[in-house]
């Protein structure tokens, strides 16, 4: 018979199970520890994940990261002198533009996901109990608690269960139902890996975008780190495609490209120690909480890599959740409802903006590719570019996120 912990009904420290040691999970666990809770952080992987593709950490996450004590662990890896180039399907290099110019004008850091995760891990290590190779197998809810059976055989009782276990969330599956009910596919696949050597025809610091109808390759350069390559392509059955070996799938999709760069990138995938390979999807739920279970980050919304706000919103959302739980005291359902009411408008706008950004990075067909070139040239014009940025859906989302962060700062000051 398994032991049941946390069953004492006397006055005690509130306990939370946080599932998933990614950005949202570690940020949530850290914030809960800050407000006096006892979080248990479990992760199905055998150890902390490192690396990951490059991302932009937007300024809406700066203040929350400072409040969590992790901002000093982040640094901008963008090469200020790096060129932005584009290559056509025949291997010809032409001048390109910085994709950041397609986003609202605000401060940001170019980072690896692993940068953010490392800073958070260093903050929670020794402060939060962590169990790797562990995850929930059953969640049963009572009126004032959730009882969870874990894969290590233990059964424990918690005041709150936080699902921060990503797009393919086990917590969401156990409590809200099958993933297919909530996942909206972009019918696209992403692969990313670290490059271990320079590419022919490119100088150190060069950023490259190879755009064809239905397929794209991006190379992001850093001033103090090896470059990262990212492959994006359309596919009618992305879930099935993502189950293939990355090297087989990518060579089938990109093997005919001319020039030296793309073949060299495919060889780099063969040599890479690890390669991210998954479908690109968003999650749309009518509510992010059910009883004593709440979903955060990609488990709840999955902005996709196109939004550029996933990492910063993962931290600011965790910061806000902990703040409201502290403010509402014993009324956890009220805290969860207020949290969702405050955050959902920001998430909705960023999800909408991702649909625009995907057309820039991955035009689905030839007419869309031609239209993209027109948009790029417009955005590159300094005067027209400012107007263009102001009209972006993510610009309104950024303003809403700034208001959320201002409110959090007011509560916590």
């Amino acid at each position: 018979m398994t032991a049941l912990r946390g069953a004492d009904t006397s006055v005690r420290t509130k306990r939370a199970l946080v599932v998933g040691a990614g950005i949202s999970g570690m940020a949530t666990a850290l914030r809960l520890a800050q407000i006096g809770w006892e979080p248990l952080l479990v992760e199905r992987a055998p150890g902390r994940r490192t690396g990951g593709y490059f991302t932009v950490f937007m300024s809406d996450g700066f203040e929350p990261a400072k409040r969590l004590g992790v901002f000093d662990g982040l640094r901008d890896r963008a090469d200020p002198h790096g060129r932005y180039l584009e290559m056509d399907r025949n291997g010809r290099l032409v001048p390109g533009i910085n994709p950041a110019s397609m986003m609202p004008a605000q401060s940001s850091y170019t980072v690896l996901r692993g940068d953010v995760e490392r800073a958070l891990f260093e903050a929670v290590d020794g402060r939060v109990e962590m169990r790797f190779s562990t995850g929930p197998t059953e969640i049963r809810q009572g009126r004032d608690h959730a009882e969870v059976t874990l894969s290590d055989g233990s059964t424990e009782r918690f005041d709150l269960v936080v699902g921060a276990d990503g797009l393919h969330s086990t917590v969401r599956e156990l409590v809200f139902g099958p993933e297919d009910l909530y996942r909206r596919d972009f019918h696209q696949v992403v692969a990313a890996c670290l490059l271990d050597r320079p590419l022919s025809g490119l100088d150190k610091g060069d950023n490259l975008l190879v755009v064809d109808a239905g397929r794209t390759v991006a190379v992001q350069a850093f001033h103090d780190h090896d470059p990262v390559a990212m492959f994006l392509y359309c596919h009618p059955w992305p879930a099935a495609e993502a189950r293939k070996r990355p090297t087989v799938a990518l060579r089938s999709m990109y093997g005919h490209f001319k020039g030296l760069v793309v073949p060299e990138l495919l060889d780099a995938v063969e040599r890479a120690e690890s390669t991210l390979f998954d479908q690109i999807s968003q999650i749309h739920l009518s509510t992010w909480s059910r009883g004593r279970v709440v979903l955060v980050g990609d488990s709840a919304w999955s902005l996709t890599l196109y939004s550029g706000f996933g990492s910063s919103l993962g931290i600011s959302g965790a910061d806000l959740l902990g703040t409201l739980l502290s403010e509402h005291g014993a009324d956890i359902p009220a805290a969860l409802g207020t949290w969702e009411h405050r955050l959902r408008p920001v998430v909705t706008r960023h999800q909408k903006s991702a649909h625009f950004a995907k057309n820039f990075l991955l035009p689905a067909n030839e007419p869309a590719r031609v239209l993209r070139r027109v948009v790029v040239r417009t955005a590159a014009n300094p005067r027209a570019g400012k107007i263009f940025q102001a009209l972006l859906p993510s610009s309104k989302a950024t303003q809403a996120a700034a208001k959320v962060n201002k409110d959090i700062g007011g509560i916590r000051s």
Side-chain angles (χ1 to χ4, degrees):
M1 184 174 180
T2 56
L4 181 64
R5 289 182 54 195
D8 183 9
T9 57
S10 62
V11 176
R12 56 175 173 76
T13 300
K14 292 186 179 70
R15 299 188 73 227
L17 174 68
V18 182
V19 182
I23 291 173
S24 294
M26 287 191 287
T28 301
L30 178 60
R31 182 68 184 114
L32 290 175
Q34 286 181 339
I35 65 171
W37 282 49
E38 181 188 338
L40 168 63
L41 180 61
V42 298
E43 166 59 46
R44 60 190 167 200
R48 185 178 72 84
R49 292 165 293 184
T50 60
Y53 54 76
F54 58 89
T55 186
V56 179
F57 192 82
M58 305 301 291
S59 61
D60 66 317
F62 285 8
E63 288 303 317
K66 291 175 182 177
R67 290 191 289 266
L68 289 174
V70 300
F71 184 75
D72 290 343
L74 306 178
R75 64 184 186 279
D76 190 1
R77 292 186 181 271
D79 189 336
H81 307 296
R83 297 184 301 171
Y84 288 87
L85 304 171
E86 293 201 10
M87 178 181 290
D88 62 23
R89 69 189 77 179
N90 295 315
R92 293 189 295 262
L93 287 172
V94 296
I97 68 166
N98 185 349
S101 66
M102 306 292 291
M103 304 179 70
Q106 62 166 299
S107 300
S108 64
Y109 283 0
T110 298
V111 299
L112 295 169
R113 284 187 61 88
D115 293 339
V116 187
E117 291 179 345
R118 182 179 60 255
L120 286 164
F121 181 80
E122 291 174 353
V124 301
D125 190 27
R127 186 171 187 179
V128 172
E129 181 184 355
M130 300 181 67
R131 299 180 196 170
F132 290 101
S133 300
T134 305
T137 59
E138 187 177 359
I139 300 175
R140 299 170 298 279
Q141 295 203 65
R143 184 178 61 84
D144 60 354
H145 70 276
E147 190 175 287
V148 184
T149 300
L150 297 170
S151 58
D152 62 8
S154 64
T155 297
E156 305 192 26
R157 182 172 291 184
F158 301 94
D159 298 279
L160 181 66
V161 175
V162 181
D165 46 344
L167 175 64
H168 309 297
S169 169
T170 299
V171 174
R172 190 181 61 236
E173 183 94 10
L174 291 172
V175 177
F176 292 78
E179 179 180 304
D180 291 346
L181 296 175
Y182 310 108
R183 193 188 72 235
R184 297 185 187 176
D185 292 334
F186 278 28
H187 298 292
Q188 297 171 1
V189 178
V190 59
C193 73
L194 190 67
L195 300 182
D196 61 351
R197 64 188 64 173
L199 296 171
S200 299
L202 296 181
D203 296 333
K204 181 178 174 56
D206 282 349
N207 302 275
L208 178 66
L209 200 59
V210 184
V211 180
D212 194 14
R215 71 201 90 192
T216 292
V217 184
V219 176
Q220 174 69 47
F222 306 101
H223 69 85
D224 60 353
H225 195 277
D226 292 328
V228 171
M230 181 183 293
F231 299 80
L232 301 164
Y233 62 93
C234 298
H235 197 280
W237 306 105
E241 180 74 359
R243 287 194 288 269
K244 296 180 181 178
R245 287 182 56 225
T247 51
V248 173
L250 294 176
R251 287 199 180 278
S252 175
M253 183 61 59
Y254 295 92
H256 67 284
F257 270 72
K258 298 180 181 179
L260 297 175
V261 172
V262 174
E264 288 182 7
L265 289 173
L266 294 174
D267 291 340
V269 175
E270 296 273 8
R271 297 189 303 269
E273 291 185 9
S274 63
T275 300
L276 167 76
F277 192 51
D278 203 353
Q279 65 198 97
I280 301 176
S281 307
Q282 289 181 342
I283 297 297
H284 290 261
L285 290 151
S286 59
T287 180
W288 297 334
S289 64
R290 186 165 292 178
R292 293 298 179 111
V293 177
V294 63
L295 302 174
V296 301
D298 285 351
S299 303
W301 51 72
S302 184
L303 300 182
T304 77
L305 58 91
Y306 295 122
S307 79
F309 286 82
S311 297
S312 53
L313 191 60
I315 284 184
S316 57
D319 185 43
L320 176 62
L321 178 61
T323 298
L324 292 174
L325 285 168
S326 178
E327 184 184 49
H328 284 271
D331 196 348
I332 292 175
L336 300 181
T338 304
W339 175 76
E340 181 169 340
H341 176 74
R342 298 265 294 278
L343 200 59
R344 185 173 283 275
V346 182
V347 168
T348 299
R349 292 188 181 112
H350 283 320
Q351 285 186 322
K352 289 180 178 178
S353 73
H355 287 271
F356 173 86
K358 74 177 182 180
N359 295 319
F360 170 73
L361 284 172
L362 184 56
N365 49 46
E366 187 60 22
R369 188 189 69 81
V370 174
L371 178 60
R372 174 192 174 277
R373 287 301 304 160
V374 175
V375 172
V376 168
R377 289 169 183 163
T378 301
N381 180 288
R383 182 173 297 178
K386 291 181 180 179
I387 299 174
F388 181 81
Q389 286 183 339
L391 295 175
L392 288 175
S394 54
S395 180
K396 295 180 180 179
T398 302
Q399 296 171 11
K403 183 179 184 302
V404 168
N405 288 331
K406 182 179 179 181
D407 290 347
I408 299 171
I411 293 171
R412 296 185 60 177
S413 60

